[in-house]
Amino acid sequence: MTGPVSPGPGPGSGPGPDPARPAGLPADLSQALRRFAGRTPILVAVDFDGVMAELVDRAEEARPLPANAEALTALGALAGVHTALVSGRALESLMAVATPPESTLLIASHGAERRLGPDAPPLELDAGQVRVLAGVGQVLEATARRYPDAWVEHKPAGRVLQVRLARTPEAKRQAVAEAEAALRELAGEPGMDGFHVGHGKDVLEVSVVRADKGQGLDLLRRVTGAQAVLFAGDDVTDEHGFARLDADRDVSVKVGGGPTAARFRIEGPEQLAAVLREVAAWRG
Ligand SMILES: O=P(O)(O)OC[C@H]1O[C@H](O[C@H]2O[C@H](CO)[C@@H](O)[C@H](O)[C@H]2O)[C@H](O)[C@@H](O)[C@@H]1O
C-alpha cells in the first residue's frame, strides 16, 4: 500500500487560482477534497436518487444528470480511485436507471444486494423471509388501494409504499401512519415480526433483510482497501453512511436540506459534478 501522494498546487499555494481545478465550491470543502484526493487508494461512493439524479415522480424514470455520470465515470478511470453507487434501490432497478460502467461497485437495497465484481450473487431469502415479505406486501398494497396514486414498489428483500403522488401532504402522512399501524399488527402475528421499517423521501420502506448503508460502506472500504472514503447522500437512510465515516480522513457530503451528521453540504444533484471533478483535478 502506498502512502499519501503529493497534493500538488492548491488554494493559497500560488499567485492565483489553479486553472486545473473547477471553481465554485466552498473553500473548506475544496480543502477537504484536496486532502482526500491525496490518499491512495480512495473510494468515491455516491447515493443515486436525489444525488446522482434529481428526484422524480416515477422511480423508473429517474436518470443520472449527464454531468454527474460523466464525472463519476472519469473518476473511476483514474489509477487508485474506486467508485461506487450506494442505493436503496433494488440492484436490477439501480442498474437499469444508472447504467453504470462495469467498474462501478454497486451497493443496492441499502446493502442487502451488491455487485462487487463481474458476477453479482443473487440475494436468497429463506422460507420464513419469503412468508413475511408476502405479508408485508399485502399490508402495503391494502394501504395503497385506499390512497389514489400511492403504489407499492417490489424489491427482492422488501416492499416500498410510495406516496410521492398522493394528493395532499396530509394524505401522504396518513397513508404512512396507516401502513405503520397495520405493520405493527402484522408483527404481532406468530412468526411475522421479521421485518425492518425505514423512512425515506415520500416512501415507507420495509425489508426482511437487516442492512444499512453504513454496513455497505464498511464492506466497500474493506474490499477496495480504501485509505479514505467520500460519501454523498441526500436522505435519512444516508445518515447510516455518514455515521461510519472518519472525520479526519473521510469526506461526508449532504446533498440538499435537512438535519445531517455530514460535514459538508451542497445544494442539490446539479452541484455534485463539481465535487467529483475537483477530486479528479486534485489527483492530477
Ligand atoms: O438510496 P437511493 O438511491 O436514494 O434510493 C432511495 C429510494 O429511491 C427511490 O425513491 C426515491 O426516488 C424516487 C425517484 O426519484 C422518488 O419518486 C421517491 O419519492 C424517492 O423516495 C426508490 O424508489 C426507493 O426504492 C429507494 O429506496
Side-chain angles (χ1 to χ4, degrees), residues 91-92 95 104-108 112-124:
L91 184 58
E92 198 181 338
M95 289 169 70
T104 305
L105 305 169
L106 302 178
I107 295 289
E113 295 184 279
R114 67 258 329 227
R115 183 189 81 178
L116 302 177
D119 298 312
L123 177 70
E124 287 182 14

Side-chain angles (χ1 to χ4, degrees), residues 10-35:
S13 66
D18 180 342
R21 194 180 70 74
L25 295 177
D28 58 347
L29 173 54
S30 189
Q31 277 155 23
L33 294 175
R34 181 184 183 181
R35 281 193 301 275

Side-chain angles (χ1 to χ4, degrees), residues 25 29 33 230 253 266 271-280:
L25 295 177
L29 173 54
L33 294 175
L230 180 154
V253 182
I266 58 175
Q271 270 84 52
L272 179 69
V275 173
L276 303 177
R277 287 187 193 129
E278 179 138 348
V279 174

Side-chain angles (χ1 to χ4, degrees), residues 149-169:
D149 298 322
W151 58 285
V152 177
E153 179 184 357
H154 288 217
K155 304 188 195 184
R159 297 289 180 267
V160 183
L161 178 66
Q162 294 266 1
V163 298
R164 177 168 289 271
L165 293 174
R167 304 259 158 99
T168 61

Side-chain angles (χ1 to χ4, degrees), residues 47 49 55-56 87-88 153 155 162 164 201 205 213:
D47 175 32
D49 294 280
L55 293 175
V56 292
S87 175
E153 179 184 357
K155 304 188 195 184
Q162 294 266 1
R164 177 168 289 271
K201 291 185 172 165
E205 297 231 22
K213 292 187 179 184

